[in-house]
């Protein structure tokens, strides 16, 4: 089991989606690409404010 924070899981999911697209373009069933371990994503909805309120 893997626990990933949302800032690290998003790029991982995008990578998997890209690899599945490449497999489909090559004529391979994209469903053959699946994670081998269970992955839980921890989503933190905190915000980082870099600038607030201008006169």
């Amino acid at each position: 089991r893997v626990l990933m924070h949302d800032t690290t899981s998003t790029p991982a999911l995008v990578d998997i989606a890209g690899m599945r697209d490449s497999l489909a373009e090559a004529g391979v069933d994209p469903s053959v690409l699946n994670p081998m371990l269970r992955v839980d994503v921890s989503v933190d909805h905190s915000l980082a404010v870099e600038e607030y309120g201008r006169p």
Side-chain angles (χ1 to χ4, degrees), residues 4-6 10 15 19 22 28 31-32 35-37 40 42-43 47 49 51-53 55:
M4 297 179 77
H5 193 266
D6 56 349
T10 302
D15 287 347
M19 288 186 282
S22 295
V28 178
S31 68
V32 299
M36 301 282 295
L37 299 173
D40 294 320
S42 168
V43 179
L47 300 174
V49 177
E51 188 173 332
Y52 178 76

Side-chain angles (χ1 to χ4, degrees), residues 16 19-21 23-24 27-35:
I16 290 172
M19 288 186 282
R20 284 182 173 173
D21 285 346
L23 287 172
V28 178
D29 179 11
S31 68
V32 299
L33 179 66
N34 288 307

